[in-house]
Amino acid sequence: MGAIVFISSIDPAEQQQWLTSLKLLLPTETILLPDMFSVAQAAEVDIAIVANPDPNILQSFPNLVWVQSLWAGVETLAPIIRQHNQQREAANPLQLVKLQDPQLADTMAEAVLAWTLYLHRNMPQYALQQGQKLWRPLPCARAQETRVTVLGVGELGLASIKVLLQQHYDVSCWSRRKKSLTSANSFSSLEQLPLALEQTDILINLLPLTPETKGLLNKPLLSNLPVGAKLINFSRGAVVDYTALLELLDSGKMSHAVLDVFEQEPLTPSSPLWAHAQISILPHISAPTNMATASQIVADNIFQYRAHNTLPTTVDLSRGY
Ligand code: NAP
């Protein structure tokens, strides 16, 4: 059994915290940084734990069997692994495992509920009214009459749908494959997406960024939303065309957007998104990885692999998520 390599480009102090946390849970494993391996030792390594790894460093471990990502989003990593596999025998591809942590899903669901309530209960408008010392109650539909559509019904989408239903929202969802969910309308396929948007007051994006979803929420598509609709983007910035979003907000077609993710992070000071009265900016905080629970998930995955030679669900590299 070779050592495990930990490849990351994160801040060294955070990297050290991860190593400490993982080593505590995996006392029989040796987990080392890449520069601690000789070429011969690197050839023995079958598992890499990664967080934004340098592709060249990953390449220097030629016999990896699988890569465990510490993040849920794999839009950068999936193409790196695909490229890596072009140099391998087709029968022996490197596998990618993304972080699937129920705690992460609960944290995202909590954020989805918090910001849905923020939009539904007119909080952006009341903040503006306070600035104008304006005492003006605004109409507010019941949750049952507020149509919330969740794009992406994966780990995070499903947990979010559950809390929205508990809060009595009128929930719909859209995914590649149709879901059978009690109490939520399920849409699938590109053809049905405009129909789903036509029936949406609050749109929540939890789609992974892939070649298919990049720029998906563009002006023609968002224009299907009813007047005054709101958007929450908690997955990746590049899924939404923010220039189109600004135009739709400025024209009054849409009323507010909560944005946690951007193509370039941190968001540049020159971005027009910062100062827009109908946009709430968050610094990518809707669902941070919890080091304690994530380390336990990673440790369990490694334990299962060592004990039974089984891997958890791996990323479908052709789909990119
Ligand atoms: P996941 O389990 O992989 O689920 C992805 C969902 O999107 C699935 O329902 C899938 O449909 C659907 N989908 C993918 N491509 C599609 C397409 N072309 N058309 C229609 N539906 C499509 O993902 P997850 O774990 O829920 O995470 C979602 C994303 O959240 C991550 O990729 C990451 O970008 C983001 N994230 C953000 C934060 C944050 O703090 N802001 C934190 C963690 C993750 P099927 O079910 O039919 O396959």
Side-chain angles (χ1 to χ4, degrees):
M1 180 174 90
I4 296 172
V5 62
F6 186 98
I7 313 175
S8 91
S9 54
I10 56 178
D11 159 73
E14 192 188 346
Q15 179 171 269
Q16 195 48 54
Q17 286 171 1
W18 275 109
L19 283 170
T20 305
S21 173
L22 290 162
K23 283 175 181 176
L24 266 175
L25 295 167
L26 291 161
T28 59
E29 298 283 347
T30 308
I31 308 174
L32 301 171
L33 295 174
D35 57 8
M36 299 169 90
F37 290 86
S38 67
V39 172
Q41 287 166 332
E44 300 284 305
V45 176
D46 52 356
I47 307 171
I49 301 172
V50 306
N52 298 341
D54 177 335
N56 295 323
I57 297 180
L58 205 57
Q59 287 281 11
S60 60
F61 292 84
N63 295 317
L64 287 172
V65 175
W66 60 292
V67 169
Q68 169 72 62
S69 170
L70 295 178
W71 315 143
V74 290
E75 68 278 359
T76 312
L77 198 48
I80 292 173
I81 305 285
R82 260 201 314 265
Q83 202 178 13
H84 186 99
N85 282 341
Q86 283 167 4
Q87 285 137 42
R88 282 192 171 209
E89 287 169 25
N92 185 28
L94 177 56
Q95 304 284 344
L96 172 59
V97 176
K98 67 182 170 189
L99 181 68
Q100 287 189 281
D101 183 351
Q103 177 59 59
L104 187 79
D106 285 352
T107 306
M108 180 58 91
E110 185 181 87
V112 163
L113 180 60
W115 293 96
T116 300
L117 287 166
Y118 170 82
L119 294 174
H120 167 212
R121 297 304 302 261
N122 298 316
M123 292 191 220
Q125 292 92 323
Y126 286 123
L128 286 175
Q129 288 188 193
Q130 184 174 350
Q132 298 159 9
K133 300 184 181 165
L134 188 60
W135 183 277
R136 186 168 70 194
L138 298 167
C140 181
R142 293 188 310 146
Q144 288 87 337
E145 294 154 355
T146 304
R147 300 162 301 175
V148 182
T149 298
V150 179
L151 305 181
V153 192
E155 293 283 309
L156 309 187
L158 206 50
S160 301
I161 289 167
K162 280 187 192 148
V163 298
L164 291 167
L165 287 171
Q166 280 162 8
Q167 209 58 35
H168 310 300
Y169 284 107
D170 179 358
V171 181
S172 296
C173 60
W174 181 77
S175 52
R176 211 167 50 82
R177 293 163 295 188
K178 194 171 170 62
K179 307 287 181 240
S180 37
L181 299 172
T182 33
S183 315
N185 311 312
S186 170
F187 294 90
S188 59
S189 81
L190 271 180
E191 291 69 44
Q192 288 193 354
L193 186 52
L195 188 65
L197 297 194
E198 279 169 22
Q199 305 165 37
T200 300
D201 300 309
I202 302 177
L203 181 65
I204 299 172
N205 176 37
L206 286 173
L207 288 168
L209 177 60
T210 68
E212 280 179 29
T213 63
K214 190 170 178 102
L216 176 71
L217 297 179
N218 56 18
K219 193 164 181 188
L221 205 59
L222 289 173
S223 297
N224 289 293
L225 290 164
V227 172
K230 295 147 187 174
L231 169 75
I232 297 176
N233 186 13
F234 279 174
S235 75
R236 288 294 181 262
V239 179
V240 183
D241 178 346
Y242 284 164
T243 306
L245 175 66
L246 282 171
E247 286 170 18
L248 292 166
L249 290 169
D250 288 339
S251 70
K253 172 78 174 151
M254 291 180 69
S255 64
H256 202 90
V258 177
L259 308 178
D260 184 45
V261 284
F262 306 89
E263 277 201 65
Q264 192 181 339
E265 295 181 3
L267 183 62
T268 50
S270 61
S271 169
L273 300 171
W274 279 113
H276 202 288
Q278 291 152 271
I279 292 181
S280 303
I281 304 275
L282 301 172
H284 202 137
I285 47 74
S286 51
T289 299
N290 177 289
M291 195 178 285
T293 58
S295 298
Q296 188 63 62
I297 301 274
V298 171
D300 289 347
N301 289 348
I302 291 170
F303 179 79
Q304 288 299 326
Y305 174 70
R306 294 288 192 223
H308 308 293
N309 205 29
T310 54
L311 284 182
T313 309
T314 55
V315 171
D316 180 332
L317 293 168
S318 62
R319 287 193 322 221
Y321 70 95

